[in-house]
Amino acid sequence: MDERTAEAEIPARYRYAVVPHIMVDDAAAAIDFYRRAFGAREDFRLEAPGGGVLHAEITIGRSVLMLGDASVKEAEEASFTAPAFLGGGTSVTLHVFVPDVDALAARAEAEGAEVLQPATDMFHGDRTAILRDPSGHLWVFLTHLEDVDEDELRRRLAAAAL
């Protein structure tokens, strides 16, 4: 674990958040990937009567994620849809704070995640990596380095020239 992380806790406003529920084409394979790549722990799984995963819950770091298999019927009804059904795009990015973003990103890449942004110290006080998992979901993993007040955040953003 990075020594800087021990000094800076995850900001309180991010400790308890909305629980995302994602849909994938093969939830069992996704859970296995998340276990290997992100260090996820499977907490619950409810198998669908006809096969597949109706509902599962995993924990990554301190964050809970719900997931299940998407069906063609649900996708056609525009309810629960996997990114592949949308042509590979997604409108949601999942943010998770972890103790060591560098180690997680390296492990995830070795397991098949696409690295969109390698772990980088960012102006907002977090070391951040952006990944795409094999199911097409986008993940932002962060290790909190320092608290940055709003004035300093705005100064750093202007200097970063994004």
Side-chain angles (χ1 to χ4, degrees):
M1 176 165 72
D2 190 319
E3 290 177 7
R4 298 175 290 185
T5 305
E7 296 295 317
E9 277 292 317
I10 295 170
R13 67 185 173 277
Y14 297 128
R15 289 185 195 150
Y16 308 101
V18 172
V19 176
H21 188 158
I22 63 172
M23 303 309 291
V24 296
D25 287 326
D26 185 345
I31 292 166
D32 187 51
F33 170 80
Y34 298 144
R35 183 181 302 116
R36 292 187 329 268
F38 302 160
R41 179 187 74 230
E42 184 176 332
D43 300 317
F44 176 79
R45 184 187 299 207
L46 183 61
E47 301 289 337
V53 177
L54 181 64
H55 179 82
E57 296 179 13
I58 62 175
T59 299
I60 301 171
R62 297 180 188 170
S63 299
V64 173
L65 174 76
M66 298 177 182
L67 69 152
D69 282 310
S71 73
V72 173
K73 179 180 179 278
E74 290 168 332
E76 289 173 348
E77 293 172 354
S79 54
F80 296 114
T81 306
F85 191 82
L86 300 171
T90 182
S91 64
V92 175
T93 302
L94 304 160
H95 286 65
V96 180
F97 282 89
V98 297
D100 186 346
V101 69
D102 292 272
L104 184 140
R107 185 174 67 237
E109 183 176 25
E111 291 295 338
E114 178 185 1
V115 177
L116 302 177
Q117 175 192 297
T120 306
D121 289 354
M122 299 297 290
F123 67 92
H124 44 75
D126 303 309
R127 187 159 176 80
T128 306
I130 303 174
L131 310 169
R132 182 186 324 270
D133 72 28
S135 297
H137 291 284
L138 295 179
W139 295 81
V140 177
F141 287 99
L142 311 98
T143 296
H144 190 63
L145 303 177
E146 63 176 321
D147 294 330
V148 180
D149 69 41
E150 189 174 339
D151 290 337
E152 178 63 10
L153 180 67
R154 292 181 189 285
R155 187 195 68 71
R156 289 181 184 184
L157 177 58
L162 302 175

